[in-house]
Structure formats: structure tokens, C-alpha cells
Amino acid sequence: METNIQLSSLIKMLESESNIVNASKMADIYDANIFNFLAEDETKETVKEFCKKFSKPLKKEFTKKGSGVKVISPERILMHKYVAIRFAGWLDPSVFDWAYSNVPGFKAITENFLKDIGVELK
């Protein structure tokens, strides 16, 4: 699949009215292993941040009852749009350019998150 088509497909999924995104389908666009993303420390920090921001219990995440990351089965993983944008950026970093311009508050949320995990902004 051509990169522009892949990026367009990701953005279309993120632009949906729903706050829940099928992350498994996002991974399929890039033929990526979603579990590599889920295993990263930065992903776990993103989910913690999500839980804190939306007052959700962290212990339910990565289960069928998760709000940020809901693992229904290894083939069907859903994410709240807040987490899904991070996943999309992991799949294709140019998604962040779109998110900065089109997702209200995304730039501020991202900058605060990076500061919280010790990344120095220039």
C-alpha cells in the first residue's frame, strides 16, 4: 500500500465521530504487530495518563473492560481516540502533524506528556 493511502486511511479512522477506534484495523494498514506498541513503556505511560485524565481505573486496562485499551481478543483491540492517536503516530509519525492541526488540545496534551516523562522540548 502506498504511504499516502496508508496515512489517509489512518486519518479517516481517527476522524470518525466515535471516540473508540479499532486499533487492530489500524495495525493491519501497516502490517504492524500491535503488541509491540502495547509492550512499550511509553505506551503504558500514555494509558496511565489517559486513566488519570478521564478518571478511569488503570487496573482494567489491557482487558475486555479497558477504557483506553480494550483487548477483546488478540485479533480485536479497541482504543480510545486519545490512545489511538499515539498508536497512529507510532505507525506513521506524520500523523502527529495532522493531529497538531486538527485535534483540539492535542499539541498541549502532547507537550505536557513529554515533559512529564522527562523529554526536553526545544
Side-chain angles (χ1 to χ4, degrees):
M1 209 183 278
E2 188 179 307
T3 301
N4 288 338
I5 294 171
Q6 290 171 312
L7 180 59
S8 295
S9 297
L10 274 184
I11 290 172
K12 185 176 180 180
M13 292 177 81
L14 295 170
E15 287 179 327
S16 75
E17 293 292 319
S18 174
N19 278 331
I20 303 300
V21 179
N22 187 330
S24 299
K25 286 185 180 180
M26 292 171 67
D28 288 346
I29 293 169
Y30 285 83
D31 196 29
N33 184 334
I34 194 170
F35 292 100
N36 290 340
F37 171 76
L38 294 176
E40 290 187 1
D41 290 338
E42 188 173 326
T43 302
K44 293 170 188 164
E45 288 300 317
T46 297
V47 173
K48 282 182 191 176
E49 174 95 5
F50 165 84
C51 290
K52 188 166 58 172
K53 180 176 177 53
F54 294 100
S55 301
K56 301 291 183 183
L58 181 60
K59 67 181 181 176
K60 290 185 179 180
E61 294 305 321
F62 305 102
T63 71
K64 290 182 180 181
K65 296 183 179 185
S67 298
V69 178
K70 182 181 294 210
V71 179
I72 297 171
S73 72
E75 297 80 31
R76 185 158 160 77
I77 298 173
L78 306 177
M79 290 181 182
H80 187 278
K81 199 174 286 188
Y82 179 91
V83 180
I85 290 171
R86 303 284 173 119
F87 179 51
W90 182 83
L91 292 168
D92 186 337
S94 61
V95 165
F96 289 130
D97 294 334
W98 168 83
Y100 278 141
S101 302
N102 295 289
V103 178
F106 183 77
K107 184 176 180 180
I109 289 169
T110 300
E111 288 174 354
N112 289 336
F113 172 75
L114 291 173
K115 286 178 190 174
D116 288 347
I117 64 170
V119 175
E120 186 176 322
L121 301 173
K122 296 178 182 181

